[in-house]
Amino acid sequence: MRRKVADKRLLVTGASSGIGKELAIQLAAKGARLLVTARRGELLDSLVHEIRSNESNRDVAALAGDITDPDFRFRLIELAQNRWGRLDGLVNNAGVGAMGRFTDSTPQTLRQVMEVNFFAPVELIRLAIPLLQRGQQPIIVNMGSVLGHRAVPLKSEYCASKFALHGLGDALRAELAPLGIDLTMISPSTTDSDFFEHAIQDTTQKTWKNRGATSVKQVAAATIRAMSKGTHDVILTLGGKSLVLLDRIAPTLADHAMQRWAQ
Ligand SMILES: NC(=O)c1ccc[n+]([C@@H]2O[C@H](COP(=O)([O-])OP(=O)(O)OC[C@H]3O[C@@H](n4cnc5c(N)ncnc54)[C@H](OP(=O)(O)O)[C@@H]3O)[C@@H](O)[C@H]2O)c1
């Protein structure tokens, strides 16, 4: 389904930095109405200020809190309900990484990655469905990862969380279609944000950000394109597409390459 983002009422999570912040800026520039969220309230305030400095009467509000807290998720949806009475889009972008060998990691790390990257977006979807049903051309956007299509070593918890989001999203897309709600999954490769600095754990000595990283501007623009066209699944880069293709046509070769890289 094709849609315009102008005038749409959108909730964007993880908007204090990186991809989410840039996405909020680009969506606002295209005329969307926004409710933005993340934990760092001062960064959300400056985002709202930045958006309003471009257009002073832009409909944009922020609510700071931890997306893993069920009460906070409820308050977020309540705010959307009180402000707009409907939602035209939910962008589940908030996410965290964890790097290192599974044998060096902890049950707490696995739980936290799954809480932020999987349980929080899924439970937010559950709460948002009634508001989305009242929306115009409603859409759920899940920020996935190429690593939700092909897992790699040293990021096992993160890969698991993005695979889970991918799987649940595919099932929900079919279930929600009769309700008129669309679902898109965006799968970037390494992106030039502070994601790796924000990781909840890194037990490796590796440098994770590479020079060929995609810019947040590119990811945000591709996300808006997918929302506009109603594309279901977007793998952003040639490298990402090649990795997924290699995994499909030669999984053993892909496994060998991963094993060598992990040493
Ligand atoms: N960067 C990459 O290489 C890459 C590649 C593929 C996919 N992605 C995905 O892209 C999304 C955005 O990441 P990014 O690259 O923009 O990194 P980022 O700058 O670290 O952004 C992560 C966002 O999530 C929010 N967040 C994290 N934990 C939260 C919590 N408990 N409650 C509420 N908000 C929380 C952060 O805000 P606060 O800290 O203020 O709460 C921040 O706004 C993530 O889902 C990530 O998995 C990133």
Side-chain angles (χ1 to χ4, degrees):
M1 183 203 291
R2 294 191 79 88
R3 65 173 57 72
K4 285 204 162 80
V5 295
D7 228 31
K8 293 288 189 301
R9 290 144 171 90
L10 309 175
L11 166 53
V12 181
T13 75
S16 58
S17 61
I19 295 169
K21 178 182 175 187
E22 178 60 27
L23 185 56
I25 290 168
Q26 291 192 20
L27 285 167
K30 289 192 177 295
R33 297 159 181 250
L34 296 176
L35 171 53
V36 291
T37 186
R39 288 166 302 181
R40 289 170 292 171
E42 69 292 353
L43 294 182
L44 293 179
D45 290 344
S46 59
L47 171 63
V48 170
H49 186 263
E50 184 176 341
I51 288 172
R52 290 217 180 105
S53 67
N54 293 329
E55 199 184 331
S56 57
N57 58 356
R58 171 67 57 224
D59 180 2
V60 52
L63 187 68
D66 189 329
I67 203 74
T68 66
D69 175 357
D71 291 338
F72 176 69
R73 290 194 296 262
F74 184 81
R75 284 202 289 127
L76 205 48
I77 296 298
E78 197 176 45
L79 179 58
Q81 154 79 43
N82 293 340
R83 200 173 171 87
W84 296 322
R86 71 174 215 236
L87 260 182
D88 305 319
L90 165 62
V91 183
N92 280 314
N93 166 74
V96 286
M99 291 84 78
R101 287 177 194 281
F102 181 72
T103 45
D104 295 332
S105 192
T106 65
Q108 291 76 17
T109 297
L110 175 60
R111 293 264 160 202
Q112 182 62 9
V113 170
M114 292 302 286
E115 285 293 346
V116 181
N117 296 1
F118 180 64
F119 290 113
V122 170
E123 294 305 339
L124 204 53
I125 291 172
R126 195 194 302 278
L127 289 176
I129 284 173
L131 282 187
L132 288 166
Q133 274 186 273
R134 275 182 248 143
Q136 280 178 4
Q137 299 177 303
I139 185 167
I140 295 164
V141 180
N142 287 336
M143 193 56 70
S145 166
V146 168
L147 305 188
H149 296 263
R150 164 70 221 198
V152 300
L154 306 182
K155 292 180 185 167
S156 57
E157 295 113 332
Y158 180 76
C159 293
S161 71
K162 294 294 184 181
F163 261 78
L165 190 63
H166 180 183
L168 193 123
D170 281 352
L172 277 190
R173 184 179 299 116
E175 286 188 24
L176 298 180
L179 306 182
I181 302 171
D182 220 351
L183 190 146
T184 282
M185 174 133 179
I186 311 295
S187 299
S189 301
T190 303
T191 302
D192 191 9
S193 70
D194 291 335
F195 178 77
F196 294 105
E197 287 82 344
H198 295 157
I200 59 171
Q201 176 178 291
D202 186 358
T203 57
T204 74
Q205 307 298 319
K206 283 188 182 285
T207 305
W208 289 101
K209 227 192 269 182
N210 56 44
R211 268 188 285 150
T214 316
S215 72
V216 293
K217 281 191 185 335
Q218 286 172 305
V219 178
T223 304
I224 295 175
R225 255 195 319 276
M227 291 171 77
S228 306
K229 291 184 179 168
T231 319
H232 286 171
D233 207 342
V234 182
I235 297 175
L236 282 186
T237 63
L238 186 60
K241 288 181 180 123
S242 308
L243 180 63
V244 175
L245 184 66
L246 177 70
D247 186 51
R248 294 293 176 277
I249 60 175
T252 312
L253 187 62
D255 281 343
H256 279 308
M258 294 298 164
Q259 207 175 323
R260 287 179 60 148
W261 180 79
Q263 299 318 307

